[in-house]
């Protein structure tokens, strides 16, 4: 079993920064996770892809966050982070951490990801 727990959400003013973290906990035995990603969902909107990172470190980003957000992971510490800079109100929503054992990359639609966290809320408002 795998549990993903996000943290770091909160209220930030436009132009501000937040750093989200996702900790992976294994029960019953540890195994390699290949693809990990961050997704977000705003009220009344569908879930959308934010950023993904593969076990080897290769990354991809949604065009809406590229250049402002940075994803990283530490496979030894079972930790993934999302540094979010220059936030705007359109970035607000619940951010979810996700992981897949065998996928080559985190898919834009999130289908096929094996594990999901419960999310952390990001609010961008003055």
């Amino acid at each position: 079993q795998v549990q993903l727990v996000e943290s770091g959400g909160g209220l930030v003013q436009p132009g501000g920064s937040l750093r989200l973290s996702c900790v992976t906990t294994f029960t019953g035995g540890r195994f390699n996770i290949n693809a990990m990603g961050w997704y977000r969902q705003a009220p009344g909107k569908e879930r959308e892809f934010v950023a993904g990172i593969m076990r080897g470190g290769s990354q991809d980003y949604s065009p809406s966050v590229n250049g402002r957000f940075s994803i990283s992971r530490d496979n030894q510490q079972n930790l993934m982070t999302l540094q979010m800079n220059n936030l705007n109100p359109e970035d607000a929503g619940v951010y979810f951490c996700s992981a897949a054992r065998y996928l080559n990359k985190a898919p834009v639609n999130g289908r096929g990801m094996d594990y999901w966290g419960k999310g952390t809320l990001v609010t961008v408002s003055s």
Side-chain angles (χ1 to χ4, degrees):
Q1 293 290 339
V2 173
Q3 183 180 20
L4 304 177
V5 178
E6 304 94 337
S7 62
L11 172 64
V12 63
Q13 292 185 345
S17 298
L18 279 177
R19 186 178 181 87
L20 305 183
S21 295
C22 172
V23 175
T24 303
T25 302
F26 296 88
T27 56
R30 189 182 186 280
F31 49 83
N32 289 340
I33 295 291
N34 196 26
M36 297 194 74
W38 288 97
Y39 296 79
R40 68 188 181 192
Q41 187 167 21
K45 294 187 177 181
E46 293 186 354
R47 181 182 65 197
E48 65 173 344
F49 172 79
V50 176
I53 186 167
M54 274 40 80
R55 185 169 180 82
S58 59
Q59 306 162 19
D60 61 317
Y61 297 91
S62 164
S64 65
V65 308
N66 195 23
R68 299 186 297 122
F69 291 12
S70 179
I71 190 172
S72 65
R73 67 187 281 184
D74 183 329
N75 297 322
Q76 294 301 317
Q77 298 294 326
N78 298 321
L79 175 67
M80 178 175 68
T81 62
L82 184 70
Q83 177 66 41
M84 305 187 295
N85 298 325
N86 194 22
L87 286 159
N88 58 61
E90 289 70 36
D91 295 317
V94 179
Y95 281 68
F96 298 93
C97 167
S98 184
R101 290 190 69 174
Y102 302 116
L103 291 181
N104 290 326
K105 64 182 299 183
V108 170
N109 59 16
R111 294 177 182 174
M113 298 297 278
D114 298 310
Y115 309 102
W116 292 86
K118 294 182 178 181
T120 185
L121 178 63
V122 172
T123 304
V124 184
S125 175
S126 56

